[in-house]
Amino acid sequence: MPRFILCAAALLALGTSVLRAAEPAGAPLPLPELMGHVMQRNAVQLWAWTETETDAGGTRSGEPRSAEAWEDAESDALTLRQLAHVLKAPPYDPGDPRWAKLASDLEAAASASADAAERKDVSALFKAGEAINDRCVACHLVFAPQLEVKPAPVPL
């Protein structure tokens, strides 16, 4: 009980400005937060299913190998599809028709990924993963070109 009283006293001492500084529970995330913490994280999870790594130890693939993994891949794709849908509405849609088109294209690519996962079609899952990346890059080139850094030339 004394800890509760001390915590309550500390909050009162800080004032209500600390409480007001936090965003309301129902407020949409600012676009950079949505893209950097929600969209990007989900896309990375989705792309992990189509990763292929080759080194001296051989080649390894992230492709789903169990019913549970396929279900997870489908869930990741459906989450990305829903996020793309969210981008088409306020407060995220800036009113530029290119934005709506790019978000719709991402939504369609994520749907293709979900369909591929539901069918357990590795080839289609890889193809959809590439399409999702292409849609992300296309949007970045128009609305956030600083995110697409040109890779360094390969030394010969």
Side-chain angles (χ1 to χ4, degrees):
M1 186 68 139
R3 285 187 187 166
F4 173 77
I5 293 170
L6 288 174
C7 289
L11 283 174
L12 288 173
L14 289 173
T16 56
S17 63
V18 172
L19 298 175
R20 273 189 247 130
E23 292 182 23
L29 290 172
L31 184 61
E33 293 290 317
L34 178 73
M35 297 304 272
H37 291 288
V38 181
M39 181 73 78
Q40 178 66 26
R41 182 171 176 85
N42 187 261
V44 167
Q45 286 174 209
L46 183 61
W47 289 321
W49 299 114
T50 60
E51 278 183 338
T52 301
E53 183 179 324
T54 303
D55 59 20
T59 300
R60 289 169 299 288
S61 171
E63 75 182 65
R65 299 191 189 283
S66 68
E68 182 181 357
W70 280 108
E71 186 72 20
D72 288 345
E74 183 181 4
S75 294
D76 292 338
L78 290 172
T79 301
L80 191 64
R81 183 181 87 181
Q82 188 62 34
L83 289 168
H85 181 75
V86 165
L87 289 176
K88 296 189 300 182
Y92 303 114
D93 183 354
D96 186 320
R98 297 174 298 173
W99 180 272
K101 168 84 169 88
L102 290 164
S104 291
D105 289 350
L106 176 59
E107 190 175 11
S111 289
S113 182
D115 292 344
E118 187 171 30
R119 293 189 323 270
K120 297 177 178 53
D121 183 337
V122 173
S123 177
L125 189 66
F126 273 72
K127 185 177 177 182
E130 289 176 10
I132 289 167
N133 184 66
D134 292 346
R135 283 10 179 237
C136 292
V137 170
C139 188
H140 295 167
L141 290 173
V142 173
F143 293 101
Q146 71 279 6
L147 296 177
E148 296 302 324
V149 178
K150 203 171 176 186
V154 177
L156 299 175

